[in-house]
């Protein structure tokens, strides 16, 4: 019998960054992210009867065969013990679509691996609903670390932290107590460059292994996660801005001070950051930025200053930008099962 399972999982943007890993994709420090809503990957898994003894897995990205990612997905799926029975008995076809342009600099591996792990786990023998996210998150992490944070929203914490119950290096947990202002956070992604990045995140993580400032960085990030949990509960924008921006700059400082140093920010990135500082000085409004491993700037702001930010963006930033993607904090993913009798 043919069965299809569809999942839609969002990307996420880290406020406290995961940078450095060890063992089986275990993080060197805890990280905390905001889950997005409009930037998501939708994955459909189709299971049919197998025709040969070999592994049968086809991967299509936006309707096209994608050899490079197929190889990454095939390696990922065949390495997980949890999926071995599935591969033994079925031919798999995975179709993946992103809601955002490929070149936008949004972490597509986070949403893609969250969705891929979710459909594959759902296809395996029944997992109780209570532990589904945790198990799927743990499997998604093995595909891409940040993917495990896409299972919860609006904020998720990944990494074992002293004093935070249930926190783990293997999977993320939701940050439960969130002030209303932080529930409606916006993220306007300012695209200053839409080419693929020159140094991959994997290389960047590896450079933390012998980084002279690694221990201080890991300690800082863990402390920032603990502080951020309280900040999100209390609605404290001043501290939110200070930690979020310091984290973004620390991430890039780590790249610039690695033994094999490199720089991903561009002149436009610096210009935008300076404009944000000036805007805050002029207005006192809680607009701040974060950066991913690339030159694009994520503008973070609460719903109630939306119009002010829009005007600022049009007047002061538009000329430095290729495009803008407007997103917002979201609540995580969804999954649905269909067999040939329809949805169940
Ligand atoms: C800078 O999750 O992409 O976005 O585990 O090697 O797939 P892998 O890395 P990845 O790293 C994300 C790094 C970051 C910060 C973050 O999302 O926390």
């Amino acid at each position: 019998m043919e069965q299809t399972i569809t999942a839609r999982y969002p990307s996420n943007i880290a406020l406290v960054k995961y940078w450095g890993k060890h063992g089986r994709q275990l993080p060197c420090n805890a990280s905390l992210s905001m889950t997005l809503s409009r930037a998501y990957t939708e994955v459909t898994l189709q299971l049919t009867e197998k025709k040969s003894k070999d592994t049968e897995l086809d991967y299509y990205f936006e309707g096209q065969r994608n050899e490079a990612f197929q190889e990454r997905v095939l390696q990922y799926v065949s390495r997980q013990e949890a999926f071995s029975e599935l591969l033994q008995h079925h031919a798999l076809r995975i179709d993946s679509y992103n809601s955002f342009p490929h070149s936008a600099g949004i972490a597509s591996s986070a949403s893609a691996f969250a969705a891929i792990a979710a459909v594959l786990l759902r296809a395996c023998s029944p997992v109780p609903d209570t532990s589904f996210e945790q198990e799927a998150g743990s499997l998604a992490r093995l595909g891409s670390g940040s993917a495990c944070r896409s299972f919860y929203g609006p904020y998720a914490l990944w990494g074992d932290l002293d004093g935070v119950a249930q926190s783990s290096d293997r999977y993320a947990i939701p940050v439960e107590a969130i002030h209303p202002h932080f529930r409606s956070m916006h993220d306007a992604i300012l695209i200053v460059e839409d080419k693929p990045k020159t140094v991959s995140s994997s290389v960047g993580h590896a450079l933390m292994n012998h980084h002279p400032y690694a221990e201080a960085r890991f300690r800082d990030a863990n402390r920032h996660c603990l502080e951020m949990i309280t900040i999100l509960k209390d609605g404290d924008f001043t501290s939110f801005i200070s930690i979020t921006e310091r984290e973004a700059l620390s991430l890039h400082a780590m790249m610039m001070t690695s033994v094999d140093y490199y720089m991903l920010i561009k002149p436009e990135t610096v210009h935008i950051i300076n404009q944000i500082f000036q805007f805050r000085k002029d207005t006192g409004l809680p607009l701040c930025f974060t950066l991913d491993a690339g030159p694009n700037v994520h503008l973070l702001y609460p719903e109630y200053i939306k119009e002010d930010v829009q005007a600022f963006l049009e007047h002061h930033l538009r000329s430095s930008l290729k495009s803008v993607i407007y997103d917002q904090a979201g609540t995580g993913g969804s999954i649905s099962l269909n067999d040939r009798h329809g949805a169940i």
Side-chain angles (χ1 to χ4, degrees), residues 261-275:
Y261 52 87
Y262 61 107
M263 201 190 292
L264 297 182
I265 52 171
K266 299 280 168 202
E268 293 85 349
T269 317
V270 177
H271 170 73
I272 294 168
I273 291 173
N274 281 323
Q275 291 291 322

Side-chain angles (χ1 to χ4, degrees), residues 5-263:
I5 304 173
T6 299
R8 183 185 277 197
Y9 277 81
S11 187
N12 66 74
I13 177 71
L15 305 172
V16 180
K17 310 292 181 182
Y18 148 55
W19 201 239
K21 59 180 169 181
H22 64 97
R24 291 193 75 201
Q25 294 266 97
L26 297 167
C28 292
N29 61 261
S31 58
L32 193 154
S33 57
M34 183 172 103
T35 307
L36 299 178
S37 53
R38 293 193 199 124
Y40 60 81
T41 300
E42 191 168 287
V43 163
T44 298
L45 169 69
Q46 211 172 63
L47 296 172
T48 48
E49 244 169 69
K50 237 178 133 180
K51 295 192 184 69
S52 78
K53 278 194 173 146
D54 301 332
T55 296
E56 292 177 35
L57 181 125
D58 284 317
Y59 180 85
Y60 291 83
F61 178 66
E62 310 204 323
Q64 312 268 336
R65 274 189 95 99
N66 185 314
E67 299 296 338
F69 207 63
Q70 158 136 348
E71 198 41 47
R72 185 168 169 191
V73 173
L74 182 62
Q75 266 198 23
Y76 163 73
V77 179
S78 43
R79 277 188 194 156
Q80 311 317 320
E81 177 66 30
F83 304 142
S84 64
E85 263 205 55
L86 197 69
L87 278 182
Q88 231 176 329
H89 299 296
H90 301 275
L92 275 57
R93 175 185 162 126
I94 295 176
D95 276 279
S96 176
Y97 290 87
N98 284 349
S99 68
F100 49 92
H102 185 54
S103 51
I106 297 176
S108 60
S109 61
S111 50
F113 274 103
I116 291 170
V119 288
L120 290 170
L121 183 64
R122 195 38 105 212
C124 297
S125 49
V127 179
D129 278 349
T130 45
S131 57
F132 180 78
E133 261 98 13
Q134 217 168 74
E135 243 178 90
S138 185
L139 286 163
R141 184 199 92 236
L142 295 164
S144 179
S146 51
C148 71
R149 297 187 310 235
S150 283
F151 284 84
Y152 303 99
Y155 298 90
L157 170 78
W158 169 36
D160 187 12
L161 263 189
D162 273 353
V164 180
Q166 316 291 330
S167 63
S168 167
D169 284 349
R170 293 192 305 111
Y171 47 80
I173 57 171
V175 181
E176 301 283 4
I178 306 294
H179 188 278
H181 282 161
F182 283 127
R183 287 195 171 274
S184 63
M185 283 299 274
H186 288 252
D187 178 7
I189 306 159
L190 311 183
I191 311 297
V192 302
E193 189 166 291
D194 51 12
K195 296 191 195 77
K197 51 190 173 196
T198 46
V199 182
S200 73
S201 288
S202 313
V203 170
H205 284 294
L207 285 170
M208 288 307 286
N209 288 339
H210 303 289
H211 199 293
Y213 308 141
E215 285 316 310
R217 163 66 203 149
F218 301 149
R219 249 197 332 269
D220 247 17
N222 284 337
R223 200 190 61 247
H224 285 162
C225 280
L226 284 172
E227 288 170 2
M228 193 56 102
I229 292 170
T230 308
I231 289 165
L232 290 173
K233 173 162 60 74
D234 295 347
D236 174 1
F237 273 115
T238 308
S239 308
F240 178 87
I241 291 169
S242 144
I243 289 183
T244 301
E245 293 188 344
R246 183 151 178 252
E247 274 290 322
L249 296 176
S250 298
L251 169 70
H252 285 263
M254 289 301 110
M255 299 171 193
M256 290 186 229
T257 49
S258 307
V259 175
D260 289 324
Y261 52 87
Y262 61 107
M263 201 190 292

